[in-house]
Amino acid sequence: MTSYVERLAHRSREVGSYVCVGLDPPGDTPIGEVADRNRRLIAATAPYAACFKPNLAFYEQFGIPGLRALEETLQAIPDGIPVIADAKRGDMGNTAAAYARALFEVWGFDAATVNPFQGQDAVQPFLDYEDRGVYLLCRTSNPGSATIQNATLAAGEPLYERLAAEMPTWSANVGLVVGATAPAELARVRELAPRATLLVPGVGAQGGDPAEVVAATKAEYGLMVVNASRSIANAPDPGGAARELRDALNAPAP
Amino acid sequence: MTSYVERLAHRSREVGSYVCVGLDPPGDTPIGEVADRNRRLIAATAPYAACFKPNLAFYEQFGIPGLRALEETLQAIPDGIPVIADAKRGDMGNTAAAYARALFEVWGFDAATVNPFQGQDAVQPFLDYEDRGVYLLCRTSNPGSATIQNATLAAGEPLYERLAAEMPTWSANVGLVVGATAPAELARVRELAPRATLLVPGVGAQGGDPAEVVAATKAEYGLMVVNASRSIANAPDPGGAARELRDALNAPAP
């Protein structure tokens, strides 16, 4: 049984890439075109993709037909490229177990994003799938995330720092979601979680800088991917946009 | 346009009940029996139900056929009884908007549970549906929830207290999820959020005491419901179990 990080590292080395390609069909896409849009996007970007990441919200917004389109989308992803379910699920006990079953057994995802707000026992049913990756939200890139994630604890540190240090001790398959828009915080997370695999959204449409992300995360294949969704999918040439992001992430530090 | 709290209060008064009946089919239910199980459960418990609450995990664990069973389940709920999507979704920006569209427009739920870990702007797309209820997780009833929710802030209070005071200021349709298993914390939340509608899981299978919940929440129709799932659904007589819980919640304080 290979671990998720091993599979991701293998694929990343194969294509020399840290790029995670988001598969997020906009709400105004006619539902009959969603799967075709994704098939074209996958074909164009796969040569530069370390992994793919559909966000389930963009399929659920179409109801059950959207989930049929997700099925078709997953079938179009070539073998050997890990697929992350961006689902941000989180619940407790047998409910969390049902979500984990849905994502890892029914849908067959290699990894999933999970919300840690209910703590370790709520996350455990996901972690029990030892060959899957579990990316726990740590410090996200939106303004409001500061209310909870940056709340200053009695010991003086922000909550996300405690989470970055503690959550990877729960299991070897814990990864972290940390936004690209605050490079200093990204560097701090890397310092506290030196061997956790990181999923970094926030470059492209949200403005994070690829070179800063690489420096802050001490980038190493398998231990970091940078997600881009709209900036690739909406580019006139999505394959070219994915290649450019791959190259920007591989460029030597200035 | 009536608010969710007005609709819930109306229904609660009509049947004299604080009972929220969970519709959570176990994973070993043959998928062909899920909708029938729920139809029987709804028929037996509706006379005592202030609202119903399917947890989406228990449908998603069956894949797309599970969501078809959820469709059939929703069709079986009599008009005038509010239905809460226990979905604990949470994401940012246009992703949160897609989840809100799925729950409130595609599925047509009256209310939903939402995870506040990413803060106010991430919750806002749900709050924008002013006639729907948005129950934000505040202090859940599982052991691990203490790691984040009970983290002591620099100002000395636990995080959940700050959330209980702050989140209801975001919008009139904010409700809170607070577990029944820690009555002192439930009372503290009610003190900090005197007019927020509360969804209280944790009686029945998880051991919370109905009389303590009523006292701690200063129960008033529309501003509190107590969820029970397994303790009703697995009872030899689910209707009787729902009636007993209704009566226990209406009993005068000892």
Side-chain angles (χ1 to χ4, degrees):
Chain A
M1 185 178 78
T2 61
S3 72
Y4 167 70
V5 166
E6 287 168 330
R7 297 198 303 279
L8 180 62
H10 181 266
R11 172 66 190 177
S12 290
R13 270 186 235 109
E14 193 171 65
V15 288
S17 177
Y18 293 106
V19 176
C20 172
V21 177
L23 299 169
D24 301 345
D28 57 2
T29 315
I31 178 62
E33 295 174 18
V34 168
D36 277 344
R37 169 194 184 275
N38 284 343
R39 271 189 283 264
R40 285 193 302 273
L41 186 54
I42 291 164
T45 59
Y48 318 107
C51 55
F52 285 101
K53 182 178 74 61
N55 188 309
L56 271 56
F58 294 104
Y59 301 87
E60 294 180 10
Q61 69 180 336
F62 297 108
I64 290 174
L67 296 171
R68 294 262 178 240
L70 177 59
E71 270 185 337
E72 291 186 60
T73 299
L74 297 181
Q75 286 160 5
I77 297 176
D79 284 347
I81 309 183
V83 186
I84 303 166
D86 198 353
K88 300 188 175 69
R89 298 300 197 260
D91 211 307
M92 52 188 273
N94 63 337
T95 315
Y99 276 131
R101 196 177 308 131
L103 295 175
F104 293 148
E105 296 187 40
V106 176
W107 289 97
F109 287 106
D110 296 285
T113 61
V114 171
N115 191 312
F117 187 66
Q118 293 187 255
Q120 183 175 1
D121 63 288
V123 171
Q124 192 59 46
F126 295 91
L127 301 179
D128 287 343
Y129 290 81
E130 293 177 14
D131 64 337
R132 311 302 168 98
V134 180
Y135 287 104
L136 299 175
L137 303 187
C138 181
R139 178 70 177 98
T140 56
S141 44
N142 61 310
S145 63
T147 300
I148 293 180
Q149 298 163 28
N150 264 6
T152 305
L153 301 182
E157 85 276 29
L159 177 64
Y160 81 87
E161 289 193 10
R162 178 184 292 182
L163 297 178
E166 179 181 328
M167 296 193 302
T169 68
W170 294 349
S171 179
N173 57 345
V174 167
L176 302 172
V177 179
V178 193
T181 51
E185 298 180 341
L186 187 50
R188 184 71 182 129
V189 168
R190 175 47 88 207
E191 193 176 7
L192 294 164
R195 302 303 297 168
T197 188
L198 304 183
L199 170 59
V200 183
V203 302
Q206 292 175 61
D209 179 70
E212 286 186 325
V213 169
V214 169
T217 60
K218 306 184 195 297
E220 182 179 323
Y221 289 141
L223 296 189
M224 196 274 284
V225 287
V226 167
N227 182 73
S229 299
R230 284 168 283 175
S231 62
I232 290 178
N234 298 344
D237 171 13
R243 191 183 58 240
E244 276 173 36
L245 179 57
R246 180 198 64 176
D247 295 345
L249 292 165
N250 286 328
Chain B
M1 185 177 77
T2 61
S3 73
Y4 167 70
V5 167
E6 286 167 332
R7 297 198 302 279
L8 179 63
H10 181 267
R11 171 66 191 176
S12 290
R13 268 186 237 109
E14 194 171 64
V15 288
S17 177
Y18 293 106
V19 176
C20 172
V21 177
L23 298 170
D24 301 346
D28 57 3
T29 315
I31 177 62
E33 295 173 20
V34 168
D36 277 343
R37 169 194 183 275
N38 284 343
R39 270 190 283 264
R40 285 193 302 273
L41 187 53
I42 291 164
T45 59
Y48 317 106
C51 54
F52 284 102
K53 181 177 76 62
N55 188 310
L56 271 57
F58 294 103
Y59 301 87
E60 294 180 11
Q61 70 180 336
F62 297 108
I64 291 174
L67 296 171
R68 294 261 178 241
L70 177 59
E71 272 185 336
E72 291 186 60
T73 299
L74 297 181
Q75 285 160 6
I77 297 176
D79 284 349
I81 309 183
V83 185
I84 303 166
D86 197 354
K88 301 189 175 66
R89 298 300 196 261
D91 211 307
M92 51 188 273
N94 62 337
T95 315
Y99 276 132
R101 196 177 309 131
L103 295 175
F104 293 147
E105 296 188 39
V106 175
W107 290 98
F109 287 107
D110 296 285
T113 61
V114 171
N115 190 313
F117 188 67
Q118 294 188 256
Q120 183 175 3
D121 63 289
V123 171
Q124 191 60 47
F126 295 92
L127 302 179
D128 287 344
Y129 290 81
E130 293 176 15
D131 64 337
R132 311 300 168 99
V134 180
Y135 288 104
L136 299 175
L137 302 187
C138 181
R139 177 70 176 100
T140 56
S141 44
N142 60 309
S145 63
T147 301
I148 294 180
Q149 298 164 28
N150 264 7
T152 305
L153 301 181
E157 85 276 29
L159 177 63
Y160 82 86
E161 289 193 11
R162 178 185 293 183
L163 297 178
E166 179 180 330
M167 296 194 302
T169 68
W170 294 349
S171 179
N173 56 343
V174 167
L176 301 173
V177 179
V178 192
T181 50
E185 298 181 342
L186 187 51
R188 183 71 182 129
V189 168
R190 176 48 88 207
E191 192 176 9
L192 293 164
R195 301 302 297 168
T197 188
L198 304 183
L199 170 59
V200 183
V203 302
Q206 293 175 61
D209 180 71
E212 286 186 324
V213 170
V214 169
T217 61
K218 305 182 195 299
E220 181 179 323
Y221 290 140
L223 295 189
M224 196 275 284
V225 288
V226 167
N227 182 73
S229 299
R230 284 169 282 174
S231 63
I232 290 178
N234 299 344
D237 170 13
R243 191 184 58 239
E244 276 172 34
L245 179 57
R246 181 199 64 177
D247 294 344
L249 292 165
N250 285 330

